[in-house]
Amino acid sequence: MALDAGTPLDAGPGTEGVARWLRSALGAATGLPFAPGGGPRAVRLRVDPGIERASGPEGYRLSTDGSVEDAAVLVEGGAAAGVFWGVQTLRQLLGPDAYRKAPAGPHGRVWELPRLTVTDAPRFRWRGLMLDVSRHFMPKDDVLRQLDLLAAHKLNVFHFHLTDDQGWRIEIRRHPRLTEIGSWRARTKWGHRASPLWNETPHGGFYTQDDIREIVAYAAERHISVVPEIDVPGHSQAAIAAYPELGNSDVVDTASLAVWDTWGVNPNVLAPSETTLRFYEGVFEEVLDLFPSTFVHIGGDECPKDQWKRSPAAQARIAELGLADEDELQSWFVRHFDRWLADRGRRLIGWDEILEGGLAPGAAVSSWRGYAGGVAAAEAGHDVVMCPEQHVYLDHRQAPGDDEPMPIGYVRTLEDVYRFEPVPAGLSPEAAAHVLGTQANVWTEVMENRARVDYQVFPRLAAFAEVAWSELPAPADRDFADFERRMTAHYRRLDALGVDYRPPAGPSPRQRRPGVPGRPIEGAPPNV
Ligand code: ACM
């Protein structure tokens, strides 16, 4: 079985977008035209409702074994998404050169395919990567490239962490100072927060609303949903620097706050006022216009309550609402947006701190401080995405020793990630059904550019992708030697894609950063 210049592409109803992707990506890599047409030499794409009934919209069947009449290759999916994942498998079978942007081999090359049939479907419907573009801004083209990398690994959720203390990255038309002021900081901590070193170059950037539309459309063409995160009520100093009335101005001089230049948990949180609620409703109105995703992430993590304890206005609010304490005030804040989003047909998701003070009725939880928050939420009937920092925080170092470019957090090797289990043993079957899936998180305090992000994310994202997609044995029984053997082929694909991954033998001299102030303390809290 082989593809060549005479291979037509026969795209059935509903697969036009997949055909467009195939022609642009595989066409570019191979130089083949994939002209429209059918017949026995064609690659045929079809949606098959039978597959959807049996294994869902993302299930697919790929046949190259010659058993299909009138087509050389048949890719059938439960929906277009399944056809798209089937085409990703087809690309894997074509070899590493199929991941390039132009033909690297001899002119007139024939693209051999092994003869086989693959029947496949994902274990989880939420297979995500969270990227923090606040701590370090990632230019739009690099975000689009990340989406290509997610698609190549059959991941389907891009959790876009757009706002934090260190930078506001999304244009909001009705509040222009969010990006005029909030998207730039004067300097940046180099290394973890206790490091004495600074990078004195101003850092910033943001996405215009047209950039966001482009990113969302690019993701949709790859069957990836983009979940925006606008962090409230903590992690908000960039917004307060732009609009000081959003902060607790009765206890701190919020007008003197700048976009934060260091790392850690920040005491400057939003005031629980009507002004703040109306302001963020305006922000979310624009966000909903841009992002069709059902889920909208409101952060909710790491909101210190000290300012609310000292603020007469916050205390008056607690009394007026009849709340017991500051935790309930945070819960009230989250509930407000839970209702507000539900009224608009969306669903709120937040970090597991939103459990404190009582979980809003429709809320889903990203369980990051371990499994416990996710377990409690799932047992209470809430949907959960498992992303425990002990396992899938890809900013954490990949090996012990001083060679890692920025040795922060837990040591989590490729093998550790391969042995990560998103559904903890002991969860009741009803609760387990509330685990929507899993995601890896990438916080970028110590990743100042794309190459640094590549190094932290790869190859571990390949192990994560297999965990998120496949039904694997229990962690101790997983065949890591087999995974490593298959990785030898995958490293060639990553090379073709130009991914600056961590080599199995450790960082190359170019990737090392001798003498950087990392924090090599196993078991330490996560905030760099
Ligand atoms: C988090 O890592 N603060 C969600």
Side-chain angles (χ1 to χ4, degrees), residues 301-302 351 368 393 443:
D301 58 322
E302 298 178 323
W351 302 110
W368 75 276
Y393 266 37
W443 302 101

Tab-separated table of all heavy atoms in Angstrom, residues 301-302 351 368 393 443, ligand 1:
chain	number	residue	atom	x	y	z
A	301	ASP	N	-8.020	29.737	42.322
A	301	ASP	CA	-6.975	29.163	43.160
A	301	ASP	C	-6.236	30.246	43.934
A	301	ASP	O	-6.226	31.413	43.550
A	301	ASP	CB	-5.965	28.377	42.304
A	301	ASP	CG	-5.319	29.247	41.241
A	301	ASP	OD1	-6.022	30.101	40.666
A	301	ASP	OD2	-4.114	29.092	40.987
A	302	GLU	N	-5.618	29.829	45.015
A	302	GLU	CA	-4.624	30.626	45.719
A	302	GLU	C	-5.071	32.079	45.930
A	302	GLU	O	-4.420	33.015	45.494
A	302	GLU	CB	-3.300	30.581	44.954
A	302	GLU	CG	-2.747	29.166	44.870
A	302	GLU	CD	-1.467	29.058	44.081
A	302	GLU	OE1	-1.297	29.747	43.068
A	302	GLU	OE2	-0.614	28.254	44.488
A	351	TRP	N	-10.205	25.806	39.719
A	351	TRP	CA	-9.230	24.990	40.466
A	351	TRP	C	-9.875	24.505	41.764
A	351	TRP	O	-10.859	25.091	42.232
A	351	TRP	CB	-7.972	25.803	40.733
A	351	TRP	CG	-7.312	26.309	39.491
A	351	TRP	CD1	-7.251	27.596	39.061
A	351	TRP	CD2	-6.617	25.527	38.494
A	351	TRP	NE1	-6.569	27.680	37.864
A	351	TRP	CE2	-6.164	26.419	37.493
A	351	TRP	CE3	-6.343	24.163	38.338
A	351	TRP	CZ2	-5.446	25.990	36.372
A	351	TRP	CZ3	-5.633	23.743	37.222
A	351	TRP	CH2	-5.187	24.647	36.261
A	368	TRP	N	-5.904	19.986	41.173
A	368	TRP	CA	-4.461	20.204	40.952
A	368	TRP	C	-3.615	19.939	42.176
A	368	TRP	O	-2.449	19.611	42.066
A	368	TRP	CB	-4.202	21.623	40.441
A	368	TRP	CG	-4.312	22.732	41.460
A	368	TRP	CD1	-5.452	23.357	41.858
A	368	TRP	CD2	-3.242	23.350	42.184
A	368	TRP	NE1	-5.170	24.322	42.790
A	368	TRP	CE2	-3.806	24.347	43.011
A	368	TRP	CE3	-1.854	23.168	42.223
A	368	TRP	CZ2	-3.052	25.144	43.873
A	368	TRP	CZ3	-1.094	23.959	43.074
A	368	TRP	CH2	-1.693	24.945	43.891
A	393	TYR	N	2.396	18.227	36.368
A	393	TYR	CA	2.828	19.620	36.218
A	393	TYR	C	4.150	19.588	35.449
A	393	TYR	O	5.200	19.233	35.990
A	393	TYR	CB	2.988	20.282	37.597
A	393	TYR	CG	1.744	21.036	38.036
A	393	TYR	CD1	0.486	20.535	37.743
A	393	TYR	CD2	1.831	22.237	38.729
A	393	TYR	CE1	-0.661	21.221	38.141
A	393	TYR	CE2	0.690	22.932	39.131
A	393	TYR	CZ	-0.551	22.410	38.827
A	393	TYR	OH	-1.678	23.083	39.212
A	443	TRP	N	3.069	25.774	33.726
A	443	TRP	CA	3.220	27.126	34.279
A	443	TRP	C	4.584	27.644	33.839
A	443	TRP	O	5.584	26.928	33.914
A	443	TRP	CB	3.107	27.080	35.810
A	443	TRP	CG	1.797	26.503	36.250
A	443	TRP	CD1	1.561	25.234	36.694
A	443	TRP	CD2	0.531	27.177	36.256
A	443	TRP	NE1	0.225	25.088	36.985
A	443	TRP	CE2	-0.428	26.256	36.720
A	443	TRP	CE3	0.108	28.458	35.913
A	443	TRP	CZ2	-1.780	26.570	36.853
A	443	TRP	CZ3	-1.236	28.778	36.051
A	443	TRP	CH2	-2.164	27.846	36.518
B	1	ACM	C1	-2.286	26.206	40.417
B	1	ACM	O1	-1.292	25.522	40.131
B	1	ACM	N1	-2.165	27.253	41.214
B	1	ACM	C2	-3.587	25.914	39.874
